Amino acid sequence: MGFLRKSGMGLFTILLIVFLVLTGFFLTFGLSLNYNNVQQNVGSFLNKNVLPNTNLSAISFVWATTCKLQNLTKIEFPTELDLKIDIPCTKIVAQNNLSNELLVSSFVEDLYFKKYDCKMFFGCFKESKGVPTFIISEKARLYFMGKFWLFVLLSVISLVVLFFLAEKKHNFGFLTGAIFILSAIFFLGINQISSSLAMGEFGDNLSGLINIFFASSKSVFSVFVIFGIFLIVIGIV
């Protein structure tokens, strides 16, 4: 009986660590993929790599005229990358001069709130043509938050099982608190890697792309550490 109890403790301790890391992982993705963060980082990438030498003033009048004469609802802006930027004609006509900011906001808004036809998340990869832009959409954010709550549930179940398997209940808080803090180190590492990449030759681009998904890693690290310390204090008291 003692062997089974110790084996169960070891198994569910490992499972709890795995579940907590995945919980933090999906929470980081879900929080980072908010609209403002996506707009900021995607906008920065587009301005540096797609729109750096674009003379929008020269084509503003032509596009506005085209929208009116052909009764169009939008105009597609060509890019060297496999990205499609559609600009609503209402915005083109309303602006005296187009700007990179308008292009970026139109692109990100269309990309983020687009209704993707694919039902399964990984099925979207198969249906994507070119760059799988759905990965930074609201659909992706909702998917990651859904997985976050799933692994929260699995973590709670593991905690309950560990509580009943623990021979010394007063050590339970200290044990689980230490596990939370151990799991948090993973997210601190992600934050450090992002900072290191920012110092390289392609640092701005890499850092911006990483921040789309991991901007909240430091916040998740802090939440895990605070909760871990809270559990340890309860265990000591």
Side-chain angles (χ1 to χ4, degrees), residues 5-162:
R5 181 187 292 272
K6 290 181 179 179
S7 298
M9 282 287 294
L11 174 62
F12 277 93
T13 297
I14 294 173
L15 285 176
L16 179 59
I17 294 174
V18 172
F19 290 154
L20 285 177
V21 169
L22 290 174
T23 296
F25 179 79
F26 286 116
L27 178 60
T28 299
F29 268 37
L31 294 179
S32 299
L33 283 174
N34 66 79
Y35 179 71
N36 290 332
N37 184 56
V38 171
Q39 185 179 49
Q40 177 182 347
N41 286 286
V42 172
S44 176
F45 177 81
L46 291 176
N47 280 319
K48 292 175 181 176
N49 298 279
V50 180
L51 309 170
N53 299 314
T54 305
N55 185 3
L56 295 176
S57 299
I59 58 177
S60 295
F61 177 76
V62 175
W63 281 1
T65 303
T66 302
C67 283
K68 292 177 181 178
L69 293 179
Q70 298 185 20
N71 197 27
L72 301 176
T73 58
K74 61 184 179 181
I75 285 184
E76 181 178 336
F77 179 80
T79 68
E80 294 181 1
L81 299 179
D82 191 11
L83 293 173
K84 179 182 177 183
I85 302 180
D86 290 329
I87 315 169
C89 278
T90 53
K91 292 185 178 180
I92 294 175
V93 174
Q95 298 281 335
N96 293 324
N97 288 304
L98 291 177
S99 63
N100 284 7
E101 288 73 20
L102 175 61
L103 286 178
V104 168
S105 64
S106 297
F107 172 72
V108 175
E109 183 177 347
D110 179 66
L111 174 153
Y112 191 81
F113 295 107
K114 181 179 178 181
K115 300 298 181 183
Y116 293 91
D117 295 329
C118 49
K119 295 181 180 179
M120 301 298 292
F121 180 77
F122 288 101
C124 292
F125 283 100
K126 297 180 181 179
E127 297 182 21
S128 295
K129 297 179 180 179
V131 180
T133 53
F134 78 92
I135 197 67
I136 50 177
S137 67
E138 186 178 38
K139 181 182 181 72
R141 185 187 69 81
L142 294 174
Y143 170 82
F144 290 128
M145 290 306 296
K147 293 300 180 184
F148 159 70
W149 288 113
L150 170 63
F151 282 101
V152 165
L153 176 62
L154 291 175
S155 297
V156 170
I157 292 174
S158 298
L159 282 169
V160 171
V161 173
L162 280 174

Side-chain angles (χ1 to χ4, degrees), residues 135-221:
I135 197 67
I136 50 177
S137 67
E138 186 178 38
K139 181 182 181 72
R141 185 187 69 81
L142 294 174
Y143 170 82
F144 290 128
M145 290 306 296
K147 293 300 180 184
F148 159 70
W149 288 113
L150 170 63
F151 282 101
V152 165
L153 176 62
L154 291 175
S155 297
V156 170
I157 292 174
S158 298
L159 282 169
V160 171
V161 173
L162 280 174
F163 177 78
F164 285 107
L165 287 175
E167 292 186 64
K168 299 178 181 179
K169 306 298 183 187
H170 61 274
N171 288 335
F172 177 74
F174 184 86
L175 172 65
T176 53
I179 292 174
F180 266 86
I181 294 175
L182 178 64
S183 303
I185 295 175
F186 175 78
F187 304 101
L188 180 63
I190 292 176
N191 185 261
Q192 294 298 325
I193 290 173
S194 177
S195 299
S196 299
L197 288 174
M199 300 176 67
E201 181 180 355
F202 304 101
D204 288 343
N205 291 335
L206 286 175
S207 180
L209 293 175
I210 290 174
N211 278 335
I212 294 175
F213 302 101
F214 296 106
S216 298
S217 60
K218 193 172 183 179
S219 298
V220 172
F221 166 78

